[in-house]
Amino acid sequence: MLTKCRIEKILGLVKKEYDYMDNKPIHITTTHRGTWGAETRAYDYTLNVNKNFDDYFFIDFFYQYLAEEFNFDLTWADVDYQNTMNALVLLHEIGHIQQTMNIKVTREWAEEVKIAYNIYKTKSLFMGIEEQMITYRKISYEYLADKFAVEIFNKYAVKILAILNGTTQKEIKSRLAEVKKEVA
């Protein structure tokens, strides 16, 4: 489950990779229900997340998409299905923040982003649900956030899952070894 404290610890791992992520404050809002997202403003960010990501239709799609597009190791879903998804979706939203940390947020930039999403909306009217989902993931801002999420998760998976489970890295490594043994 995501809490403000756990999210701050994960942000700390990200900041090890991207020290400029300390340039602007990131305000964290967690709820039981609501919209996930990152809001970019000129002087700060807001990271909106739920305690758990619970769109299971999307989760099944997202795991497969990440495996196919970024060679994400689906073993992690067997280690901890819910918290792996929580981590990936959280890191995706942090990826949106990371994308904008080194640029000047202007009206022109916001308009460019809006146009990219409006083009998707127009095209998606004539697509099936799965094609819509894949096409959305291909919007450059979404694609880069997905790539960021997988890269950070791959590097810190054990630490991230230990944080989200409130357990030790040793316990996560043990669970990973059990899962790999079961698969073999």
Side-chain angles (χ1 to χ4, degrees), residues 5-180:
C5 179
R6 290 174 177 170
I7 293 167
E8 287 170 345
K9 288 179 182 178
I10 292 170
L11 273 170
L13 295 174
V14 172
K15 289 175 182 178
K16 284 183 179 181
E17 298 295 314
Y18 302 95
D19 59 351
Y20 58 80
M21 296 270 306
D22 266 337
N23 293 350
K24 296 179 191 176
I26 300 171
H27 307 287
I28 301 166
T29 305
T30 58
T31 62
H32 289 288
R33 286 259 172 229
T35 303
W36 285 70
E39 294 176 35
T40 301
R41 289 183 294 274
Y43 302 103
D44 66 353
Y45 296 92
T46 300
L47 185 59
N48 298 305
V49 300
N50 297 336
K51 302 278 185 194
N52 280 305
F53 189 83
D54 61 1
D55 180 343
Y56 296 106
F57 175 75
F58 176 78
I59 290 174
D60 290 340
F61 159 79
F62 199 51
Y63 272 134
Q64 292 305 313
Y65 170 77
L66 294 178
E68 291 169 17
E69 191 66 34
F70 301 105
N71 296 315
F72 178 71
D73 182 359
L74 291 173
T75 304
W76 290 107
D78 293 331
V79 171
D80 187 337
Y81 184 86
Q82 184 65 56
N83 279 320
T84 297
M85 184 51 58
N86 286 346
L88 289 167
V89 176
L90 172 64
L91 290 168
H92 170 92
E93 297 306 334
I94 293 170
H96 284 306
I97 292 172
Q98 184 270 338
Q99 289 177 50
T100 61
M101 277 281 178
N102 285 330
I103 66 168
K104 187 172 182 175
V105 178
T106 62
R107 282 192 175 110
E108 291 79 21
W109 174 83
E111 190 61 33
E112 181 184 311
V113 171
K114 185 178 176 183
I115 288 168
Y117 286 94
N118 284 340
I119 289 169
Y120 159 76
K121 286 178 186 176
T122 302
K123 286 181 181 179
S124 71
L125 294 172
F126 306 102
M127 298 176 185
I129 291 174
E130 188 167 332
E131 187 180 4
Q132 285 177 6
M133 292 170 77
I134 291 170
T135 302
Y136 184 81
R137 308 271 26 111
K138 299 292 182 172
I139 297 170
S140 64
Y141 304 102
E142 298 302 322
Y143 187 86
L144 292 172
D146 289 344
K147 183 178 181 203
F148 173 88
V150 171
E151 288 172 359
I152 295 295
F153 186 86
N154 284 343
K155 187 163 189 171
Y156 294 105
V158 172
K159 287 182 181 182
I160 289 170
L161 290 178
I163 290 167
L164 293 179
N165 279 288
T167 188
T168 65
Q169 292 178 46
K170 184 178 178 181
E171 288 179 68
I172 299 299
K173 288 177 184 176
S174 174
R175 177 69 183 126
L176 177 60
E178 287 174 30
V179 168
K180 287 187 175 189

